Every structure is written in C-alpha cells, then in structure tokens.
C-alpha cells in the first residue's frame, strides 16, 4: 500500500494502481474528467508533486501509476481560448494566425508547454511552425495532441496551444493535403444507401470482434 493525497486528503491505496484507479479505490465516483481510460481523449489531465520534491508534474490519470506520498489534483477542464471561424472562408496564409491567435507571437521560449505535455510532444516547436505559417509542419508535429490543455495551463504567454494546432490541422487538411478522392466516393456511396447491408453487418458484431477488426485493419500509407 502507498499513501496518496487526493485534492488534499490522505488515502492509502494499493501500489500499482493508476491515479484514476486510486481515485475510484478511495471512493471517488468519476462522472467527469474520465473518458476513454486509454490515453486518447485527454479528459483526465492531472497535476501532481511528490512530497519533498519541488518539481510539479503533469500527466493523464489513466496512464500514470501512483507513487508513495504523491499529492494529486485533477484538471479535467482548462478554459482554452477558442476563436470562432469558418474554415471555408479563411485561407492558409501567414495572416490567419495573427488574426485569430496573435498571442502565439508573445511566446518567450520557456518550453514549459513541451515539458508539461502529457503526450511528450514538442509543443514549442509546433507553435514556432504556426508562427512561420508552416501549417503542414505544425499539423504533423501536433498530430497526437489530445487537447488536455495542460500545456496552456503552464504558459506565461496565455497561448491556447491545442486550439492553434487544431486550426493548423484543419487548414492543412482542407487546403494543403491532396484530396482523398476515394474517401469522397465512399461517402457518396454511404449517402446513397449502397453500404447499408455492410453497416448493418458491422453493427451486429460483438464488441470483441469489432476490436479485432479495428486492430488488424489495413492502414493506408
């Protein structure tokens, strides 16, 4: 057993549990800040410090194992600055970031965003790409972002890194990447009802078989 402090209160929990598992063991009923439980949704962003150490750590509660004398506080929602825009009306030019997210040009290069990223992404680098208008590079560098908001919570410049990255990925997908014509054709087939039997067959399969089909699917290069 190890001692952990959840939102300031001490609990004794079994060693080897994730932070999320420890919270449930301690009696918390997780109704928010708990999504996929597998590190993909970013809903369970958490900060913690080990007793006697100065460093503040950021993580996802579903992936991180508890340690003795771990002080834990969840951050299930961080109020990111999200600008409203119509992707069909904006263009992938150097001015779009200045108009929508001018705070990225206030970056002081402290790298706190990268150090805190729960996915290990080079956040400061993709912000630098966004500053230069290199949206393809920004989209690639930020591709695994789960939008947990931890990077923004540590940023002295108030940058909403995940929203900047999402804008870059949208611009890249709509204007810079080649059109996936086979996808357009398949969507039309679905809309025309040509895939109804296949869809019904998939929906009738048990979850275990669906997981196997997904895990062994052909991935386009």
């Amino acid at each position: 057993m190890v001692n952990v402090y959840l939102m300031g209160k001490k609990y004794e929990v079994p060693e080897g549990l994730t932070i999320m598992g420890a919270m449930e063991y301690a009696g918390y009923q997780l109704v928010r800040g708990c999504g996929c439980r597998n590190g993909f949704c970013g809903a369970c962003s958490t900060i913690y410090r080990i007793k006697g150490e100065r460093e503040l750590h950021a993580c996802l509660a579903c992936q991180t194992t508890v340690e003795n004398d771990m002080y834990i506080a969840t951050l299930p929602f961080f109020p990111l600055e999200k600008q409203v825009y119509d992707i069909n009306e904006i263009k992938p030019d150097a001015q779009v970031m200045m108009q929508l997210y001018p705070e990225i040009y206030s970056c002081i290069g402290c790298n706190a965003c990268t150090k805190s990223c729960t996915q290990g992404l080079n956040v400061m680098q993709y912000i630098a790409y966004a500053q230069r208008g290199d949206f393809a590079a920004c989209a690639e560098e930020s591709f695994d972002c789960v939008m947990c908001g931890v990077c923004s919570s540590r940023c002295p410049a108030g940058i909403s890194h995940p929203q900047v990255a999402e804008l870059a990925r949208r611009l890249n997908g709509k204007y810079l990447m080649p059109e996936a014509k086979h996808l357009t054709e398949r969507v039309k087939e679905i809309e025309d009802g040509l895939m109804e039997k296949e869809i019904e067959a998939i929906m009738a399969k048990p979850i275990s078989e669906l997981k196997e089909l997904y895990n062994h699917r052909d991935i386009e290069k």
Side-chain angles (χ1 to χ4, degrees):
M1 305 292 284
V2 295
N3 294 320
V4 297
Y5 297 81
L6 303 172
M7 273 64 76
K9 188 174 181 180
K10 183 179 179 181
Y11 296 92
E12 191 175 47
V13 301
E15 183 181 22
L17 290 179
T18 62
I19 291 175
M20 188 175 286
M23 292 179 70
E24 292 179 316
Y25 181 89
Y28 285 84
Q29 183 179 3
L30 302 179
V31 295
R32 60 166 46 185
C34 174
C36 68
R37 292 179 173 263
N38 218 11
F40 297 112
C41 72
C44 62
S45 50
T46 300
I47 54 176
Y48 70 90
R49 177 179 279 124
I50 304 300
K51 185 177 181 180
E53 299 181 5
R54 296 181 62 87
E55 185 176 0
L56 185 67
H57 302 273
C59 67
L60 296 180
C62 67
Q63 294 181 321
T64 307
T65 305
V66 292
E67 300 178 43
N68 193 48
D69 285 338
M70 177 185 273
Y71 286 77
I72 300 164
T74 59
L75 184 69
F77 171 76
F78 186 80
L80 296 168
E81 180 70 16
K82 182 178 182 180
Q83 298 297 341
V84 177
Y85 53 85
D86 186 336
I87 194 65
N88 296 306
E89 295 182 358
I90 60 175
K91 301 298 179 183
D93 55 41
Q95 300 302 313
V96 67
M97 283 294 176
M98 178 62 77
Q99 293 167 357
L100 294 173
Y101 295 104
E103 64 271 17
I104 67 173
Y105 300 98
S106 300
C107 174
I108 62 174
C110 67
N111 212 29
C113 53
T114 299
K115 292 177 181 177
S116 66
C117 180
T118 59
Q119 297 295 87
L121 303 181
N122 192 341
V123 182
M124 192 174 76
Q125 180 60 65
Y126 77 62
I127 291 298
Y129 287 139
Q131 291 172 334
R132 297 198 292 267
D134 191 347
F135 302 125
C138 181
E140 179 67 24
E141 193 74 39
S142 68
F143 188 78
D144 288 327
C145 173
V146 294
M147 304 193 75
C148 65
V150 169
C151 54
S152 296
S153 73
R154 306 297 302 277
C155 179
I159 299 171
S160 291
H161 310 75
Q163 295 294 350
V164 172
E166 185 174 60
L167 173 56
R169 292 195 298 273
R170 286 174 171 172
L171 289 169
N172 186 54
K174 182 169 180 61
Y175 296 108
L176 305 178
M177 294 289 289
E179 181 186 356
K181 294 183 179 179
H182 63 293
L183 178 59
T184 303
E185 293 170 358
R186 180 51 57 90
V187 170
K188 187 177 187 308
E189 289 176 353
I190 293 172
E191 291 175 343
D192 291 343
L194 302 179
M195 310 299 295
E196 288 186 3
K197 289 184 179 179
E198 289 82 353
I199 293 173
E200 290 175 358
I202 290 175
M203 292 178 66
K205 294 181 183 297
I207 294 295
S208 58
E209 188 175 347
L210 288 175
K211 287 181 177 180
E212 281 298 309
L213 287 171
Y214 180 81
N215 291 332
H216 295 91
R217 70 194 186 283
D218 291 330
I219 299 177
E220 184 178 332
K221 301 296 183 183

